[in-house]
Amino acid sequence: CRHDASQCVGIMPGSSCTIRCRSPYQGNNTGLGVCPEMNQSGRAPPPPTLQLMSWPECICHGPASDVPGYERIPTGWRCAEGYTGI
């Protein structure tokens, strides 16, 4: 998962929380989650049912393209042919 919404667990109705990039992903911005005012339980449901106002843009820079065993694909990185993950 690219996102860390741990600050959103247990927030009170009408409150907001910050959503960040989970390591090793990086981003220059943060996202915002909100617990609705009318939440009857008094606690925000855990993500992903939390009302999300915005997500941070998180990217993984990964290894340089000349590192043996890695292959860049449109969605990130994968093991090159002949290599396997752990």
Side-chain angles (χ1 to χ4, degrees), residues 2-72:
R2 295 176 185 224
H3 303 103
D4 176 4
S6 61
Q7 293 182 355
C8 298
V9 177
I11 65 170
M12 299 304 291
S15 298
S16 62
C17 57
T18 301
I19 301 169
R20 300 186 185 286
C21 297
R22 185 182 306 267
S23 181
Y25 295 94
Q26 297 176 350
N28 293 331
N29 59 353
T30 58
L32 178 67
V34 175
C35 179
E37 285 279 347
M38 302 304 288
N39 188 334
Q40 298 297 318
S41 71
R43 295 271 186 201
T49 57
L50 184 73
Q51 184 177 359
L52 299 170
M53 307 307 287
S54 63
W55 284 107
E57 291 184 33
C58 303
I59 58 171
C60 183
H61 295 287
S65 60
D66 60 349
V67 175
Y70 292 92
E71 178 178 54
R72 181 133 175 99

